[in-house]
Structure formats: C-alpha cells, structure tokens
Amino acid sequence: MNIEERVARRRRSDDGPRLIRSYDALSPAAHVRDPDGRGSRLEQLLDHLEPAFGGALPPNAYVWGPKGSGKSALVTALFSELDRVGRDTRSSIHTSTRVEDAGMAEFAYVDARDTRSEFGLQHALLDAVLDERVPKQGVGSDHLVGLLNERLARTGRTAVVAVDHLGERETFPLATVESFLGRVPDSVAWLAIGRDPPEEYDVGIETTVHLPVYQRYALVDILTSRASRGLAHQAVSHEELRRIATWAEGDAHDALAALFGAAVRASEAGERTVEAATVDAGMEAVPRPSVAIGRVLALPENRQRVLRRLLDLDTTDRSIGATAETIIREDSLDLSAATVKRFLYELAETGVLHRTRAERTDSLGRPPSRVEPRFPTLVFRQVFDATYGR
C-alpha cells in the first residue's frame, strides 16, 4: 500500500462507525489490481510473454498450482494491465530484461466457469479476441475457426488468450482449448490456468509456471492488505491474522473466506472489531477441504437459490428427499421437489455439497443420505443476498 492510499483511507469521512468498509476487498472471489506475494512468478510470466510486446506470439504456456495459490489473482491482474497498455500506443511495458515500445499483441482473459458447453467456451474465446459480434447459434466449430483466421489475418493482429479454471468438475480440460486454438497457431497463443500438474495433460506445453501454496508470512501480508482495504482502521489484530494464516495452511482462498466470515459475524453482532470468537466462527464457516467460492457463484441462479435455502435448514436428520420437500414448501422457487432433489444430488456429485448419512429418528432400514455444504457458507450467503436479495 502506498502513502497516498494510506492518507486517503484516514481522511475518509463517510465511513462512519462501520466495521466493514468493502466486502469486495475481503472476498476471495474478488481479485485486487496488485496481488501480493508473487513477484518472482510475475517476472516469469513477463519473460515468457515478452515476444508479444512486439507483436510476435510466445509459445503456449500453463500456469498451475493448488486452490488458493494465487493463480487467478496473478493472471487476471497481469492481463488486465497488459490489455490497458496495449490500448495505449504511447505506453511501454517493463520486463526483467529490457523496456519495449508497445507494438503489442492483444491480451484477453476468459473464465471457463462462465461457459456451459464446448461451443460456449469456443464462442467466449472468439468473443474475447474479436471486436465484431460472433454468431451464438447456427454455426459449428469449423465456421468459428474460419472466422477467427480470416479476421485476424485480414488485420494482421495477434492475440494471447488466458483461459482460467480449466479441468474443474464443471469446466473443460486444457485439450479442449488446444483443439480449438491450436488450429490458428499463427494468430493466437494460449495461456491456460488450472490445478492439475502438466503431465496430466496429453498436450504439448513449452512453458509452465508453478505456483505453490503461500508461505505463512506471505499469507499474513495478503490478509493484512485486504483487511486494510475492507475493514475499519485496526479492526483486526495482527495476531488474529496470523492465526487465520496458520489455520489456512497456505490457501489464500480459505484464509480470505475465514476473514470475510469473521467480519460478517462481528458486524452482525454490532461489534467494532474482529475478535477471537468471531475469527473462530469465520474459520468454522469454511469447510476443509473447501470448494472455491467462485465455482459456487458461477452456478446458475436456480441452483444458487437452492443452496441459499439449504443454509437456513438443519439437515442433520433430513434425507435429501425431505430436504428438497422442505425447500419447496418454505420457499417460492418455481421448481418441483423432484428437480430440487436432482440438483442436490448433482451438487453432491460435483463436490459443492458433501453427501453423508442422516441421523435417523427410528431404527428401521438403512439410514438415508443427507447433504451439507462444502463451500464457505458466510461468504456465499452475503454475496448471494447482496446480488439477488433474500
């Protein structure tokens, strides 16, 4: 944080007594402009992308590492800046080796979580690269490839496309991107982001950048930076931030989710600071292992509504079928109990929910299955209610 920002934060007069100044600053689903703790990996990426600063294409690359290691934060921040610089012909970009004048390739970012089909992913890739409207129906993959080839060749443009969150339960593998963009190798290069080691893919990758889990001191720095932006001055102690970082074991997603949840609990209680008890509550609201909140927020609204209603229920002694019946009876969802039940099973299959045995009130037959959340519940509740209302 620079001096200008520190002074501005102290001079704010409209914050009043609020504990939480910005939910986005605390959210693990929101990425900041300047992510902390990944300077060396940033330099690796800049060195790899350097040919694009003069309009040439770098080799295809793969950024990988576990959940919460900062992959999305780093790539989204970098590509946002490169896109900004590329739009300004008077700008220049600094690498670890030299400064290039900006005669750059274009840079685009696509989140695979936002696509529901292979065609949807292909359309998103083209839409990110081309300025013209891309047909959404009535065309096949060959037509889209031809469209990309023709328009880029006509303008002499090149592009580097980052494709995030590949290989998750709801998204597609890296091979899907390669099979499409690999047909225009002279115009587009890809930078894939995922969790699986590169040897898991039967795709030629010339460059890999690995992001391991954060060291505790780096995670404390991230929490401190986010807290300074999102909470009132000195609202949480360094000791509590260290405790969260230790608990999170290098996972920035879970650490931020716990801090977010602790702040929500403290705010709901009318407290001005985040103390040990609310930190405990914030950590308890993040299951371990936990599904990334971004996966949950990328689900269709009807499934999110089912999950939101589920958070208000005690499912300890409820079967999945009984849970579905209760959700339909007590909420205004335009869905049948059978559909809600199917959603619950599907969400358990993808890991968003955890399926286990319900506690029976009788001793007859096999205990039925129940479900419980495997995502940060306080973060989801707050974001959902702010987006859709309760």
Side-chain angles (χ1 to χ4, degrees), residues 7 11 24 32 34 59 65 70 104 122 157-158 169 171 183 208 212 215 237 239 259 261 286 309 315 389:
V7 172
R11 295 183 64 230
D24 283 347
V32 297
D34 297 304
M104 300 170 63
Q122 293 172 352
R157 293 160 51 197
T158 57
R169 294 283 190 94
T171 65
R183 296 157 71 180
T208 62
Q215 296 292 321
S237 70
E239 179 182 350
L259 176 61
V286 184
R309 186 68 189 97
T315 62

Side-chain angles (χ1 to χ4, degrees), residues 92-227:
S92 62
I93 183 74
H94 292 268
T95 73
S96 60
T97 55
R98 67 177 185 274
V99 178
E100 285 279 347
D101 289 333
M104 300 170 63
E106 297 187 16
F107 292 85
Y109 172 88
V110 172
D111 191 340
R113 288 174 176 167
D114 295 333
T115 62
R116 304 292 174 205
S117 65
E118 184 172 339
F119 176 81
L121 178 60
Q122 293 172 352
H123 186 278
L125 293 170
L126 262 72
D127 199 42
V129 174
L130 301 180
D131 297 328
E132 303 92 333
R133 291 186 60 183
V134 180
K136 291 187 176 181
Q137 56 188 3
V139 297
S141 177
D142 289 342
H143 178 81
L144 293 180
V145 169
L147 191 67
L148 184 61
N149 253 327
E150 184 271 325
R151 294 188 181 177
L152 290 181
R154 173 162 45 86
T155 59
R157 293 160 51 197
T158 57
V160 181
V161 183
V163 191
D164 203 355
H165 300 120
L166 292 169
E168 296 182 351
R169 294 283 190 94
E170 299 88 355
T171 65
F172 297 91
L174 191 158
T176 304
V177 174
E178 167 58 24
S179 67
F180 183 66
L181 294 184
R183 296 157 71 180
V184 286
D186 296 330
S187 301
V188 182
W190 48 258
L191 177 77
I193 306 102
R195 297 182 191 172
D196 296 325
E199 54 267 22
E200 295 289 324
Y201 291 107
D202 188 21
V203 172
I205 305 171
E206 294 191 37
T207 303
T208 62
V209 178
H210 178 225
L211 275 68
V213 297
Y214 284 98
Q215 296 292 321
R216 189 179 70 168
Y217 72 87
L219 198 46
V220 172
D221 287 345
I222 291 171
L223 292 173
T224 301
S225 177
R226 293 292 196 104

